[in-house]
C-alpha cells in the first residue's frame, strides 16, 4: 500500500491485472499502455511515489493540471490497471523502484503483465512470446501464448520488475515482442495488445489508430530521431511529449 | 520557516505571490524575475539556505557587500516575492532544493508562479500557456491564461519545484513561453511579464528595457555565446554577471 | 547459508566441489560451466541473492519460467555444484559478491574450482596451470595439474573470489587457461574440462560439442563481435543469450 | 580552534588579519601570499587539518623536513597571518574546508583578506576592487579601496570561503584583481599587495622581486604552460614546486 | 597491530626499518623493494588487510599458492621489512591505506623508508635526495644523504603515507630519485638501493642484476609499453606480472 498515492477511493480494486508501460525499445510498452488508457477511457487512479523516480512536472494538451510522471490508471470495475510513465526510470533507481512497486502489487493482489521489445529487423508481422514468474505459466497456456523461441534476458527497469516478481514469488507474465531498435514501433505495440494483453485479460481495444501511427512513423523517421534526443537535466525547459 | 534566512523583519508577508526566476532555457525566468526586482525597487528580503546550493560569493557593481546566490526579494507590502538566482541549481541538488523551498512556501502561505521556456524557433511573438497545481487552474482562468497547446514536461530544478508543489498539493501556477534555445531571450521574458505575471498579480512593470536588451542581443549573439561558457570549479576566479 | 536461496531441499550437499563459471576472457569459465550443467543434466539447485548482482530476468528457449542471472546447479548426489551466471558481475559488486559466496562455501563445506582465461595468441592446444588457496595445492598435485609457468594475477570478480578464499583460508583451486582475448573460446573451455575439472573431480563429460562450437566460431567471428557489444541499461530490452 | 594544528605556542594571536593565498586564476593569491611569507620572514605557525585537503607531502629546496600542503604563517607580533597552499583544494572539499577554516577564524578573532583574480586581457596596470562581508565595507573605505566596477561572483574554494564568511556574519574583505587567465601573473600579485594588502594592514613589503618574476614569465610562457599540467594521482611521483 | 595479518610468529620484530615499494614513476620503489626481497631471501612475514586495497589473487611462477597483492617481507633478524605491492593502490583508497599502515608502523616501532621517482630526462647517473618526518632528518645526516635540491611534493599513495607519518609525528625518511617518466627504470632503483637504502640500513645487496635489467629494458621499450597497459576490471582475466 505504501508508495502509491491513490486518488480514487471510489474505485475498488478486484484482483486486477496491471499492464506495465515503461519506455523501452521501440517504446512498445509505453505505446500499448498509453493506447489502452486512452481507447478505454481509463481514469487516473494513483501515482507512484517511489524513491528515485524523475521529479518532473507533466501536463497534457488542453489541461493545465500538472501530474507526476509515473501514474496508475484504472477501469471502472477495478479489474484492469495500467502503469503509465512519461519519463524513463534511471538504472540507478530501477532496483528500488522494482521493490517499491512489486511490494504494492503483492499487497493489492495485482497480477502484472510486463512488456518488452526484442530488437529485430523484420519484414513480416512481429512475433511475440511470453515469460512468467510464480504461477504465470498457467496464464500463458490458457491464453495460448507461446513459450520463448530463444534464450534471453530482460534488462533495464522492466527487467528489475520481473526479477523482483520472480524473487518474491509473485505471479506475473511478461510479453516480449520483436520491435524496431531505433524508432517508435506502434505496430509491435499493436501486437502486444492483440496477441497478448487481449488474450490474457479479455479487455476489448481497437488497434486501428496504432496502425495509422505506424504508417505515419514510417514517413517521418528522420524527424522523430531528432525529437527523441534528450537534453541535459541541468537547465530547466519544457519538452513536448509526442506520444500521448 | 526553516531554510530561508529572513533579513527584513520589518516586512510582513501577506499571502504573497512569488515569481520564481531560476536560470533556464533562454534565461527567460531569470530575466523576468531580475527585471521585476529592479524595475519595482524590491528589497533583499531573505536568502535561501538549502543544502546543495552553489557556495559562491556574489556582488554587484558599485556595492562591495557580498550576497549568497539564491535570494528572495519583496515589495514593501509583502504581497510580491521574487526568487532570484545568480547560478544554476545542479541536478543533484534539485530535489532537496525543491523540498526545502516548497516547505517554506507552505509555511508562509506563498503562491508560487514558476517560469519556464519552451525551445522554439519563432518569427512572431512568443506564445505562452499556463499549468497549475492545487487550486492553480482557477487562478489561470481568472487571469485569462490559456491551457497548454501541447503535452509536455518541465524538467530541471523548476520541474522539481512544480513536481513538489503538485506532490504536496500546494496551489501554484507555471508559465511556459516559447524561447530561444541558445541565447538569452529578453523578448520572451517580456511576454512572461506582460501576458502572465501582470495578469496574475496585477503588479505594474514596464518592459521597454527588456525590448531594448532583446535588440542588443540580436546584435551580439556570437559574443554572448562565448561569455556564457562556464569554467571549471576547481580554480578560483571572479566572473562578471552580465544580466543583472 | 545466508544469501543463497535453495530451491531443492531433496538434494543433500556432500562436501561438494563447485565449478565457478562467471563470464570472463574468452568466456572460458562460462562455457565450461554451462556445458557441464547441460551435458550432465544438472538441476537448478539454488539462486545467489547477494547485494549488487544484476537485477535482470533470464529465460531459456522453450520455457517461460524466469530465473535470476546467478544460479547454482547440482548433480543428484550433491557432490558437484556449478555456479552459472548469465551476466557479468560489476566491479563495484565484486567484493561484496565474493564475501557473500565464500561465506556460503565455508558454511556448506564447498571446495570451489575457479576458472580464468589468460589472454594468448596461440597456435597449439591451450596450455593450463593451477593455483590454490588453503590446502588446494595438494588437490592440484593429486590431479597432476602443473604449477604456474609464469607469475600473474587474477583480477575481476573471479579474482575477488580467489582473494577472499585465500583471506579466510578456504581450500580452493583455480585453473588458468590460455584463451582468445577477443572471441568466445570453446576450445579453451574444453581444456578447462578435460585437463582440469575432470582430473580434479572425476566427473565424466563429453567435450565434442565444444569442439564443434569452436569450429563454428572460427567461421563467424565478425558476427559474434557485434552480438557481444552490450547495450545501455537505461532502456528496457530483451537480449538473446547466444551461449546457453 | 579545532582543525588547525598550532606549532608555535610562543606566538600569541592579536586579532590578526589573515591573507588567504589559495591557487587560482593567474596564481595571484598564491604568489602574493607566498611573497609576503618570504619577504617578511614569517614563521610556520600552524597546519590546516580539514577533511578533504590533499594528502601530499611537501618539501622545500635545502630542507628535508616534510610539511602538509595547507599551512598558516605568522609574524612575530601575531598580527598578520598568511594561509599558504601548495596544492589546489578540490571542489568536493571546498565546502567543508570553508566551514573548517571560517570556524577557526571566528574562534581566534581573525579578519580574513581573500584574494581572487578576474580574467582579463590588459595592456595597462591591473585594476583592483574590493568586496566585503560583515563590517568589511568600512575596512575597504578606510583603506581607500574601490567598490566593484562590475557585478560578479567569486567561485571555487575562495568563493566558498567568502560565502561562508558572509553566511556566519564574519567581517572579511576580498580583493579582486585583473589577472592573466592562462599564466602566473606576478604583476597582478604585486597589485594585490601594493594596492590592497598594504593599505588594509599597514604591512611593509617590497614587490621588486615580483616585478622581476613577471619579466621572467613573459619570456618563458610556453615552458611554464607545460610545467603546470598536473599528472594523475594514481601513480606516485615527486613534482617540483616552481613558485616557492 | 590491526590491519596487518602476520604469518610468521617465529620472527620477532626488532624496531625494524621498512622499505616501501609501491608502484610509481619508473616503478623505482617496486623494483628496489622486490629486488631487496629476492636478493636477500626475505620471507613473507605478513599481509596488509586495509580497506580499499585491490582484491586480486596473485601467484608466482612455479608456486600455485595464492597471495594477496600487498604484503610485508622480513629478514630473519626482524630488523628489515619490505612492503611489496603487485598492484597500484587507487587514489580513493590512498588515505585510508595510509592511516591503516602508519597506525601499524607506530604500534610496531617501524621506521619507514618511502621511495619515489622524480620524472627526469637524464644522461648521467640519477641523482637522489632525502626528505624526512619526525626525527628522520638526523637519519639522513648520519647516512650522508643530501637535502632536496629543489622544492617539491610527493603525491599518490606514497605521498599519503609520508603525509600521514608527518601528521602523527612518526620518524620516517623518503628517498626521491630521478627516474624515467615512461618506462621501468631499474638503474634508478639501483641508485635507491646503493645511494640510499644501503647507507640508511647497512643492509648488503648486489645490484648487478638491476643493471642487467636496465640494459634489457633499453632494448625492449616499445614492447613493455604495450604490456603495461592495464585492462578493465569488469571481465576476469589472469595477467602476467613481468617484474617479479
Amino acid at each position: 500500500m505504501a508508495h502509491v498515492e491513490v486518488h480514487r477511493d471510489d474505485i475498488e480494486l478486484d484482483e486486477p491485472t496491471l499492464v506495465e508501460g515503461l519506455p523501452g525499445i521501440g517504446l512498445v510498452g509505453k505505446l500499448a499502455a498509453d493506447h489502452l488508457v486512452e481507447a478505454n477511457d481509463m481514469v487516473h487512479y494513483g501515482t507512484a511515489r517511489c524513491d528515485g523516480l524523475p521529479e518532473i512536472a507533466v501536463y497534457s494538451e488542453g489541461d493545465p493540471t500538472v501530474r507526476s510522471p509515473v501514474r496508475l490508471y484504472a477501469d471502472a470495475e477495478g479489474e484492469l490497471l495500467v502503469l503509465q510513465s512519461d519519463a524513463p526510470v534511471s538504472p540507478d533507481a530501477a532496483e528500488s523502484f522494482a521493490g517499491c512497486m512489486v511490494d504494492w502489487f503483492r499487497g493489492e493482489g495485482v497480477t502484472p503483465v510486463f512488456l518488452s521489445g526484442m530488437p529485430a529487423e523484420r519484414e513480416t508481422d512481429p512475433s511475440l512470446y511470453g515469460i512468467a514468474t510464480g504461477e504465470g505459466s498457467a496464464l500463458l497456456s490458457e491464453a495460448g501464448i507461446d513459450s520463448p523461441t530463444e534464450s534471453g534476458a530482460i534488462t533495464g527497469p522492466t527487467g528489475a520488475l520481473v526479477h523482483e516478481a520472480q524473487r518474491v514469488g509473485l505471479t506475473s507474465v511478461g510479453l516480449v515482442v520483436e520491435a524496431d531498435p531505433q524508432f517508435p514501433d506502434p505496430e509491435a505495440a499493436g501486437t502486444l495488445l492483440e496477441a497478448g494483453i487481449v488474450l490474457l485479460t479479455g479487455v476489448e481495444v481497437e488497434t486501428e489508430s496504432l496502425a495509422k501511427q505506424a504508417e505515419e512513423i514510417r514517413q517521418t523517421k528522420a524527424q522523430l530521431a531528432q525529437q527523441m534526443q534528450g537534453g541535459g537535466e541541468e537547465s530547466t525547459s519544457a519538452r513536448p511529449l509526442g506520444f500521448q
Side-chain angles (χ1 to χ4, degrees), chain A residues 48-56 69-70 88-90 93 96-97 100-101:
Chain A
R49 301 286 185 207
C50 305
D51 288 346
L53 289 182
E55 302 225 327
I56 66 174
V70 184
V89 175
S90 82
S96 76
F97 172 65
C100 166
M101 292 311 299

Side-chain angles (χ1 to χ4, degrees), chain A residues 180-204:
Chain A
D180 189 311
Q182 276 188 288
F183 293 99
D185 192 339
E187 187 184 25
T191 299
L192 282 177
L193 288 168
E194 287 175 351
I197 292 160
V198 165
L199 302 182
L200 283 163
T201 63
V203 69
E204 285 173 22

